[in-house]
């Protein structure tokens, strides 16, 4: 019984993390049709930025936990704006209209460049920024000790998901974006500045990536290569959910998160395959992913 | 038409580039210096905890040797009087690429010896190539027990680091000595060869030395996963008293942080075979009493001798922190190479041949930053040294961590005798082990 | 048999390489051997690219080919190098015949991701197999060629080089003919417009299927040769970054000629090895900028430097004519 509760809690926490990581990827794909290989690097940049800021903030031994959360989010947004602007203005805007696969390769090149750029900026030594993680303490749920920070992550994921959904479904800007998603040319003919929409979307996607990294940083040790590790996971989530669909990413994250927690508790030997196994299974049954529709409204 | 000319020029350029690259075939060769290839991780997750400290240590030692600044018996300049020139290469990219880079080092860069390799897969792949090219190669860190069982009859390959089986035999001996009454033991390893082998060695040794202890849970998450929420729950549910882990680097730090925050380490003691590499970073996140090792008498476990005192000071002056175990291991390997090359002799200032150096290295005993090392296994190609474990202690006032309750097990106590594989030795109940 | 220009170039280059192999230093021979072997895997990627599919999991067949060569000795007691290579190809073709049934239903990014997933599943299985050395892999040695034991040493390097050059040349020759055959041309048509191909009464899916299976065999041959040359196999061969490297090389060369992947693989290896030597801390960045430069300035790959006509596609009305006359050749 305890194990079932544990699966539920662990699975949900992991799913929230997966969703945060995948949200930016799916937003960018939905609007821009770019499967962004460099998304993992954005995640890593967010983690590094947050970890170095937290390290600096607590370096003199004082500092309040409350401030550190603001710092985390502030760093993520700042890093997202800077990196997003640089990449979009400096590179991607010259590439629009190219083949979808070619865009994947461009972002793959970007990934290689950013991995080394991070190494040049932050070095290879691990960054440890645990203060926000431990500051919240832990709760006991049915005999299982759970970190409050991890529980808070669930809340953040829900808020981010709802905000994205509300933004797309309930605001004017969201309607314009949906028009772009639906038909780029027609939207353009109707007077929508598609390129501006792309810029905006890319900034938001990037910031979601850095936010996921910044929120993860306190619970891990930030080392080179963490970005590469999350890309395939994020891809799996969005492919399972249906590329470009926010609801899909949420459901995909839950499905993968719970499956993995189940494997860890009841069949640890299958843990290594579970993500790819579920992904293959879903695609075999629904070739477009759970919420993917060929031409219908995406995101 | 204009584009055509440009294109033709570009085409010619590409062709010339390829030909030129082939033609240069590195004329760097014989400049009278002793060229050492240093191969270690400069990128990827192993760079921070292992690769960079190792590369730093190589620099400190090479600079020190070139100045003749080390204490006796290494107070002579360079290697055999020849200045040492280090060529540093990134170990990232997998075994096939490393074989390629190894050939480049030996045949293009004409290095006289190669010191390096952290990944066991790389060591296994390099060893036969080193023999084929007759290139003197010193493996300083990789731990696989298969190194000299897969590559029998080594001539040019040596390993100054210890077999990974030693880590886990030592770990069980430490548990048996300090916590003989524990009954519930769990483990969490990275799901790759290193973690799998460590866990096998550990549990088999446990069965022999602490038959009352039962393994209650074993978790094998993907390597570099970073998030261990579900694994920690699965471990917690079984209420173990000791949690063994061969995690290293960021994974280890993340696991300790999360396990501590989740309360797993309130009731269970963590046993980290690679724990020492994060000694300065754990701070108050690892509970006092956590058992940590350094894969031999390295890093914080290195003995208090003149060489090590010099090394710790030189390293600390250069990099602002004490050397961790990978750094000591690299220094150890280079000193072993120097000892062998000088034993091989030849005129002062000349570079001894690989054959002579290998013959001198075989079965040699040399002084090092980690005490005296004997090349006493695998027909004189594998070093035997003691292994130490101790417990973590953090002083919040000074912000410094230290190790206490250190127990050192002699090499003969934890190393299988020649001709026996570690696996067979453990299963037979350690016949012939001489323990202090 | 009349040879066209590419085929003549192919034969010439192979002879040149073999002659060069007599004088070149060992490291270069090895580098070229590995590059050519990998180029064969890249040929597999290019075959599918020509038909409009990008496989992010070609490492799967590379790995199958490599492991077949490695496991043939200890598990089947076979040491004949050519038989081992053949086993790898057969195994890969068999696997592809099964996976292809599912995979050829997918296009674009879904094909890419699903092929990646299968490759990663093999990676997982191998990591789990402790008897195969898990991630450490194992060494490949004691194989024979035509009854001669190839025990290692300089001769082994040369023998594998010879074998690889010959294999590469033969495969390239066959591929060149294949690309100009009606099936090969249909693959390009499928890439351009699958529906129209269906209207012509052809089945794009089964053509894709045949193409996929053939590509698997070619890639497995590359994997087997790599295993013989490097003397070691490990699960990294199936890891997704390995497949990424193959796509990288494929784009570097372009799909313009059957020679392009070979050129690209050698250039890639040289750029990488010198980048590692001169900027050991930032060699990935060099690769990244190289790739970016190629995509921006030579979207049709390095090969477009060697073609006479402009790299851009011919103007629309001219296109069909051009393809049809090209198809009538040979």
């Amino acid at each position: 019984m305890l194990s079932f509760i544990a699966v539920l809690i662990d699975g949900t926490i992991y799913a929230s993390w997966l969703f945060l990581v995948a949200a930016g990827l799916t937003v960018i794909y939905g609007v821009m049709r770019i499967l962004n290989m460099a998304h993992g690097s954005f995640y890593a940049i967010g983690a590094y930025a947050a970890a170095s800021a937290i390290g600096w903030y607590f370096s003199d031994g004082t500092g309040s936990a409350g401030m550190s959360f603001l710092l985390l989010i502030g760093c993520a947004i700042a890093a997202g704006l800077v990196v997003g602007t640089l990449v979009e203005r400096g590179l991607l805007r010259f590439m629009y209209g190219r083949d979808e696969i070619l865009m994947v390769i461009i972002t793959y090149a970007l990934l290689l460049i950013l991995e080394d750029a991070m190494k040049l900026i932050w070095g290879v030594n691990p960054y440890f920024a645990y203060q926000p993680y431990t500051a919240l303490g832990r709760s006991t749920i049915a005999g299982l000790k759970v970190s409050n920070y991890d529980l808070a992550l669930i809340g953040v994921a829900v808020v981010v998901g709802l905000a994205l959904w509300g933004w797309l479904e309930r605001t004017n800007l969201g309607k314009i974006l949906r028009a772009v998603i639906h038909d780029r040319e027609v939207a353009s003919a109707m007077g929508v500045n598609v390129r501006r929409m792309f810029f905006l979307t890319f900034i938001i996607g990037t910031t979601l990536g850095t936010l996921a990294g910044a929120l993860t940083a306190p619970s891990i040790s930030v080392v080179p290569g963490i970005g590469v590790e999350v890309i395939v996971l994020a891809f799996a989530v969005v492919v399972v959910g249906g590329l470009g669909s926010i609801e899909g990413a949420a459901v995909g994250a839950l499905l993968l998160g719970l499956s993995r927690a189940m494997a860890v508790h009841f069949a640890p030997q299958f843990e290594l395959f579970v993500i790819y196994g579920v992904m293959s299974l879903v695609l075999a049954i629904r070739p477009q992913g759970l919420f993917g529709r060929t031409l219908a409204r995406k995101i | 038409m204009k584009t055509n000319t440009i294109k033709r020029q570009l085409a010619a350029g590409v062709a010339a580039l390829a030909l030129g690259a082939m033609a240069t075939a590195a004329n760097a060769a014989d400049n009278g210096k002793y060229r050492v290839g240093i191969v270690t991780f400069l990128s990827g997750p192993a760079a921070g905890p292992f690769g960079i400290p190792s590369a730093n240590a190589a620099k400190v030692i090479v600079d020190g040797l070139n100045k003749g600044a080390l204490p006796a018996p290494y107070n002579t300049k360079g290697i055999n009087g020849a200045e040492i020139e280090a060529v540093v290469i990134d170990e990232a990219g997998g075994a096939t690429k490393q074989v390629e880079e190894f050939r480049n080092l030996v045949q293009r860069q004409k290095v006289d010896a190669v010191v390096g390799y952290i990944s066991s897969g790389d060591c296994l792949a390099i060893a036969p190539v080193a023999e084929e090219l007759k290139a003197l190669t010193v493996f300083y860190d990789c731990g696989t027990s298969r190194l000299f069982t897969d590559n029998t009859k080594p001539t040019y390959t040596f390993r100054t680091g210890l077999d990974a089986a030693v880590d886990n035999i030592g770990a069980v001996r430490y548990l048996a000595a300090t916590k003989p009454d524990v009954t519930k033991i769990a483990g969490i390893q990275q799901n790759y060869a290193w973690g799998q082998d460590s866990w096998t060695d550990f549990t088999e040794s446990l069965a022999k030395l602490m038959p009352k202890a039962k393994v209650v849970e074993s978790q094998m998450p993907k390597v570099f996963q970073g998030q261990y929420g579900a694994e920690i729950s699965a471990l917690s549910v079984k209420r173990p008293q000791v949690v063994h882990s061969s995690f290293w680097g960021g994974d280890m730090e993340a696991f300790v942080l999360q396990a501590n925050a989740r309360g797993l380490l309130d009731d269970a003691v963590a046993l980290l075979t690679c724990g020492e590499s994060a000694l300065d970073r754990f701070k108050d996140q690892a509970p006092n009493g956590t058992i940590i090792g350094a894969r031999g008498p390295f890093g914080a476990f290195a003995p208090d001798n003149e060489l090590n005192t010099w090394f710790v000071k030189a390293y600390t002056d250069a990099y602002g922190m004490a050397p961790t175990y990978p750094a000591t291991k690299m220094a150890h390997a280079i000193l072993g190479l120097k000892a062998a090359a000088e034993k091989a002799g030849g005129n002062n200032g000349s570079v001894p041949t690989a054959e002579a150096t290998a013959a001198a290295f075989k079965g040699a005993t040399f002084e090092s930053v980690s005490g005296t090392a004997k090349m006493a296994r695998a027909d004189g190609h594998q070093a035997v040294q003691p292994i130490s474990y101790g417990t973590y202690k953090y002083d919040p006032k000074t912000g410094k961590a230290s190790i206490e309750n250190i127990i050192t097990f002699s090499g003969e106590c934890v190393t299988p005798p020649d001709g026996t594989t570690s696996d067979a030795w453990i299963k037979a109940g350690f016949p012939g082990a001489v323990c202090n | 048999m009349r040879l066209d220009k590419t085929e003549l170039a192919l034969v010439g280059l192979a002879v040149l390489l073999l002659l060069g192999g007599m004088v070149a230093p060992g490291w270069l021979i090895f580098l070229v051997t590995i590059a050519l072997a990998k180029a064969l895997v890249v040929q597999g990627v290019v075959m599918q690219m020509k038909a409009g599919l990008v496989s992010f999991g070609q490492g799967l067949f590379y790995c199958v080919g490599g492991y077949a060569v490695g496991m043939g000795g200890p598990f089947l007691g076979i040491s004949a190098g050519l038989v081992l290579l053949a086993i790898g190809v057969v195994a890969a073709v068999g696997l592809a015949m099964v996976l292809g049934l599912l995979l050829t239903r997918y296009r674009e990014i879904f094909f890419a991701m699903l092929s990646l997933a299968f490759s990663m599943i093999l990676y997982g299985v191998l990591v789990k197999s402790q008897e195969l050395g898990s991630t450490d892999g194992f060494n490949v040695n004691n194989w024979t060629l035509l009854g001669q034991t190839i025990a290692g040493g300089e001769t082994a390097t040369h023998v594998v080089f010879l074998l690889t050059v010959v294999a590469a040349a033969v495969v390239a020759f066959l591929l060149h003919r294949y690309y100009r055959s009606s099936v090969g041309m249909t693959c390009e048509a499928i890439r351009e417009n699958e529906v129209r191909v269906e209207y012509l009464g052809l089945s794009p899916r089964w053509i894709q299927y045949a193409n996929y299976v053939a590509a698997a065999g070619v890639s497995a041959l590359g994997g087997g040769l790599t295993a013989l040359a490097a003397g070691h196999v490990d699960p990294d061969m199936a890891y997704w970054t390995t497949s990424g490297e193959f796509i990288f090389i494929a784009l570097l060369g372009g799909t313009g000629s059957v020679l392009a992947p070979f050129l690209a693989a050698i250039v890639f290896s040289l750029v990488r090895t010198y980048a590692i030597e001169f900027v050991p801390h930032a060699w990935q960045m060099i690769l990244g900028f190289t790739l970016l430069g190629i995509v921006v300035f030579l979207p049709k790959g390095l090969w477009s430097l060697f073609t006479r006509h402009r790299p851009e596609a011919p103007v629309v009305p001219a296109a069909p004519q051009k393809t049809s006359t090209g198809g009538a050749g040979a």
Side-chain angles (χ1 to χ4, degrees):
Chain A
M1 188 57 212
L2 183 56
S3 287
F4 278 104
I5 294 169
V7 166
L8 217 58
I9 296 170
D10 297 335
T12 318
I13 291 172
Y14 193 66
S16 324
W17 177 77
L18 282 177
F19 175 73
L20 284 173
V21 173
L25 192 69
T26 206
V27 165
I28 290 179
Y29 184 84
V31 177
M32 304 168 75
R33 299 281 138 169
I34 296 175
L35 192 63
N36 183 13
M37 298 279 287
H39 194 68
S41 305
F42 299 157
Y43 166 90
I45 288 170
Y48 266 115
S52 44
I54 295 287
W56 163 81
Y57 180 63
F58 283 97
S59 60
D60 55 355
T62 57
S64 72
M67 266 305 288
S68 70
F69 295 118
L70 287 181
L71 199 60
L72 275 183
I73 294 172
C75 274
I77 294 175
L81 289 179
V82 171
V83 178
T85 310
L86 278 179
V87 171
E88 207 276 343
R89 292 284 96 185
L91 176 68
L92 289 182
R93 72 184 167 118
F94 304 110
M95 307 288 172
Y96 292 139
R98 300 213 180 189
D99 201 35
E100 228 175 271
I101 290 294
L102 213 57
M103 293 306 273
V104 175
I105 306 302
I106 290 167
T107 57
Y108 180 64
L110 195 61
L111 158 96
L112 292 174
I113 294 168
L114 287 179
E115 282 299 304
D116 272 356
M118 277 186 274
K119 223 167 63 180
L120 295 177
I121 298 173
W122 282 287
V124 294
N125 275 325
Y127 281 72
F128 223 16
Y130 56 82
Q131 288 87 349
Y133 186 69
T134 47
L136 286 184
R138 61 179 179 239
S139 334
T140 308
I141 302 175
L144 191 76
K145 293 170 187 158
V146 189
S147 151
N148 287 339
Y149 186 91
D150 290 340
L151 292 178
L153 210 60
I154 302 180
V156 174
V158 170
V159 169
V160 167
L162 286 178
L164 276 175
W165 180 84
W167 177 58
L168 279 168
E169 301 286 326
R170 294 280 180 269
T171 64
N172 266 337
L173 198 60
K175 282 187 185 143
I176 296 173
L177 265 184
R178 270 156 51 207
V180 173
I181 294 165
H182 207 79
D183 196 319
R184 203 176 285 177
E185 274 87 38
V186 173
S188 185
M190 294 294 184
V192 174
N193 186 341
V194 172
R195 288 192 162 241
R196 228 183 70 208
M197 289 297 123
F198 278 9
F199 180 54
L200 186 72
T201 308
F202 194 75
I203 294 282
I204 289 170
T206 313
T207 309
L208 285 169
T210 52
L211 183 69
L215 291 175
T216 315
S219 65
I220 61 169
S221 161
V222 183
V223 291
I226 53 169
V228 181
E229 292 301 315
V230 304
I231 303 169
V232 176
L233 277 178
F235 276 10
V237 171
V238 299
V239 168
V240 164
L243 278 157
S245 154
I246 295 281
E247 311 91 288
V251 175
L254 262 178
L255 185 64
L256 291 179
L258 289 173
S259 314
R260 189 175 164 276
M262 212 117 74
V264 166
H265 280 273
F266 303 120
Q269 64 273 24
F270 293 117
E271 193 268 331
L272 213 53
F273 315 106
V274 72
I275 300 272
Y276 301 103
V278 170
M279 177 165 125
S280 309
L281 207 67
V282 168
L283 284 187
I285 299 165
R286 281 193 64 95
Q288 302 287 327
L290 292 173
F291 283 72
R293 266 164 281 159
T294 27
L295 257 180
R297 208 175 57 186
K298 283 189 184 171
I299 270 224
Chain B
M1 274 307 104
K2 201 176 165 220
T3 48
N4 256 346
T5 357
I6 294 172
K7 258 174 49 190
R8 222 172 283 153
Q9 282 165 353
L10 263 173
V14 169
L17 181 87
L19 283 175
M22 293 182 188
T24 48
N27 298 318
D30 307 314
N31 53 5
K33 293 181 181 171
Y34 196 106
R35 286 169 72 84
V36 183
I38 305 284
V39 188
T40 189
F41 282 100
L42 303 179
S43 58
F50 299 152
I52 297 298
S54 306
N56 289 347
K59 190 167 179 340
V60 164
I61 286 284
V62 167
D63 286 352
L65 285 176
N66 281 340
K67 287 191 196 119
L70 264 72
Y74 298 108
N75 48 3
T76 53
K77 278 197 179 181
I79 287 182
N80 203 32
E83 191 186 329
I84 309 171
E85 187 179 13
V87 182
V88 182
I89 292 283
D90 189 358
E91 194 185 330
T96 305
K97 182 174 146 246
Q98 285 310 316
V99 169
E100 193 176 316
E101 292 305 326
F102 181 85
R103 285 176 185 269
N104 291 344
L105 269 179
V106 174
Q107 296 180 319
R108 188 170 82 218
Q109 308 239 36
K110 312 272 190 216
V111 295
D112 297 293
V114 176
V115 178
Y117 302 106
I118 290 172
S119 151
S120 290
D122 292 343
C123 281
L124 288 173
I126 295 292
V129 183
E131 296 295 339
E132 176 198 322
L133 300 180
K134 301 191 177 16
L136 188 71
T137 304
V138 185
F139 299 118
Y140 83 107
D141 187 51
C142 60
T144 179
S145 302
R146 286 164 53 205
L147 181 59
F148 292 115
T149 52
D150 280 18
N151 299 291
T152 45
K153 297 191 203 130
T155 308
Y156 297 94
T157 47
F158 296 88
R159 179 160 63 182
T160 52
L162 303 183
D163 190 319
V166 170
D167 303 353
N168 293 294
I169 298 171
V172 176
R173 289 206 185 274
Y174 188 85
L175 271 188
T178 56
K179 299 183 185 301
D181 301 325
V182 295
T183 51
K184 289 159 83 176
I185 295 194
I188 178 164
Q189 328 293 334
Q190 290 149 322
N191 203 343
Y192 78 115
W194 165 258
Q196 293 162 358
D197 292 351
S198 290
W199 185 237
T200 310
D201 292 339
F202 179 79
T203 47
E204 284 177 357
S205 303
L206 199 67
K208 291 291 169 194
L209 293 171
M210 299 175 71
K212 274 188 297 176
K214 288 281 166 295
V215 173
V216 292
E217 179 72 16
S218 158
Q219 283 293 329
M220 293 252 173
K222 192 175 84 64
V223 65
F224 309 139
Q225 182 174 294
Q227 311 256 348
Y228 300 102
E231 285 80 1
I232 290 169
S233 296
L235 292 171
S236 300
V237 172
K238 301 290 169 50
R239 310 257 177 251
Q241 292 159 297
V242 171
V243 178
H244 167 278
S245 180
S246 59
F247 273 22
W248 51 264
D251 281 5
M252 176 179 74
E253 292 171 25
F255 172 71
V256 169
L257 169 64
Q258 291 165 18
N260 196 30
R262 295 275 308 272
L264 173 63
L265 300 184
D266 293 356
D267 317 311
V269 176
L271 192 173
L272 308 168
T273 56
C274 302
E276 192 270 346
S277 59
L279 191 59
D280 287 333
R281 282 195 299 274
F282 279 140
K283 305 286 183 206
D284 55 348
Q285 288 313 298
N288 287 340
T290 299
I291 301 169
I292 61 178
R295 309 203 46 221
F298 308 115
F301 292 101
D304 187 14
N305 65 23
E306 240 186 286
L307 277 169
N308 192 40
T309 312
W310 178 89
F311 176 61
V312 171
K313 181 167 185 313
Y315 190 95
T316 313
D317 286 350
Y319 300 105
M321 59 195 298
T324 49
Y325 83 76
T328 315
K329 284 180 105 169
M330 175 56 86
H332 172 64
I334 297 177
L335 292 181
L337 176 66
K338 177 175 163 74
E342 291 182 354
K343 195 169 141 200
N347 296 331
N348 192 33
S350 73
V351 175
T353 62
E355 286 76 14
T357 312
F361 215 151
K362 183 175 173 172
T365 301
F366 62 94
E367 292 306 314
S368 150
V369 286
S370 58
T372 308
K374 271 195 295 240
M375 303 302 288
R377 292 292 186 277
D379 197 24
H381 289 255
Q382 164 67 53
V384 174
Q385 280 197 293
I387 188 160
S388 310
Y389 275 88
T391 57
Y392 181 80
K393 171 109 171 75
Y394 179 71
D395 183 349
K397 283 200 200 89
T398 60
K400 290 257 179 266
S402 59
I403 298 173
E404 52 184 23
N405 305 321
I406 296 177
I407 302 180
T408 301
F409 302 97
S410 69
E412 278 64 36
C413 180
V414 289
T415 319
D418 236 354
T420 315
T421 63
S422 53
D423 197 41
W425 193 56
I426 295 171
K427 282 191 176 135
F430 313 99
V434 186
C435 293
N436 35 343
Chain C
M1 186 168 67
R2 255 185 40 227
L3 298 176
D4 73 6
K5 240 193 312 183
T6 308
E7 288 160 353
L8 283 174
L10 198 60
V11 174
L13 281 175
V15 171
L16 213 64
L17 271 176
L18 289 177
L19 289 177
M22 293 180 184
V23 288
W27 67 268
L28 188 60
I29 294 181
F30 186 78
L31 185 145
V32 172
T33 310
I34 295 283
L36 291 181
K38 282 192 174 168
L40 282 177
V41 191
V42 176
Q43 295 284 11
V45 176
V46 171
M47 283 169 80
Q48 294 171 72
M49 259 184 197
K50 276 182 172 270
L53 295 176
V54 176
S55 165
F56 250 90
Q58 207 62 14
L60 174 69
F61 302 115
Y62 174 63
C63 186
V64 166
Y67 267 73
V69 166
M71 287 162 66
F75 291 89
L76 301 174
I78 297 168
S79 61
L82 295 179
V83 179
L84 291 173
L85 288 174
I87 293 176
V89 173
V90 169
V93 165
L95 183 62
M97 286 171 89
V98 179
L99 294 183
L101 291 176
L102 179 70
L103 273 170
T104 47
R105 286 167 46 202
Y106 297 82
R107 294 292 175 269
E108 296 177 354
I109 218 70
F110 294 96
F111 176 82
M113 289 308 289
L114 206 54
S115 59
L116 179 143
F118 285 129
S119 182
M120 290 301 289
I121 287 174
L122 177 69
Y123 174 80
V125 170
L126 291 176
V127 167
K128 278 281 174 197
S129 311
Q130 262 179 289
E131 56 279 12
L132 292 180
S134 182
T135 43
D136 285 349
F138 56 93
N139 288 346
V140 179
N141 38 30
N142 298 325
W143 53 282
T144 60
L145 188 70
L146 307 175
Q148 303 288 310
T149 308
I150 312 295
E154 282 293 295
T155 37
T157 315
H158 280 97
V159 167
V160 182
F161 175 69
L162 190 119
L163 200 62
T164 309
V165 171
V166 171
V170 170
V171 169
F173 190 86
L174 293 175
L175 279 180
H176 183 66
R177 294 263 154 137
Y178 169 69
Y179 289 147
R180 295 188 315 163
S181 71
S182 53
V183 180
M185 288 291 176
T186 316
C187 280
E188 296 203 37
I190 291 173
R191 185 190 61 203
E192 295 301 324
N193 195 323
E194 195 165 333
V195 182
R196 288 192 195 172
V197 173
E198 257 174 57
Y199 287 170
L200 292 176
L202 297 166
S203 164
R205 194 178 155 204
W206 291 109
I207 293 170
Q208 291 278 26
Y209 180 78
N211 195 44
Y212 175 82
V213 171
V218 172
S219 296
L221 182 62
L225 288 167
T226 309
L228 289 182
H232 187 84
V233 289
D234 60 36
D236 267 356
M237 295 173 92
Y239 200 66
W240 71 271
T241 47
T242 310
S243 303
E245 190 180 305
F246 295 135
I247 300 178
F248 188 128
I249 299 172
L251 285 163
L252 191 67
T255 55
S257 162
V258 77
L259 290 170
F262 297 115
L263 173 78
I266 292 175
V267 168
F268 173 80
S269 293
L270 286 173
V271 168
R272 189 175 65 174
T273 186
Y274 281 101
I276 287 173
E277 186 182 330
F278 294 118
V279 267
H281 289 274
W283 58 273
Q284 290 193 82
M285 196 181 247
I286 307 265
L287 289 186
F289 278 118
T290 311
L291 186 57
L292 217 51
I294 295 287
V295 171
V296 174
F297 299 111
L298 297 172
K300 302 241 166 201
L302 278 181
W303 194 254
S304 53
L305 289 177
F306 296 93
T307 45
R308 281 280 166 80
H309 51 80
R310 287 152 191 264
E312 294 85 35
V315 266
V316 185
Q321 281 174 9
K322 241 185 133 49
T323 19
S324 61
T325 49

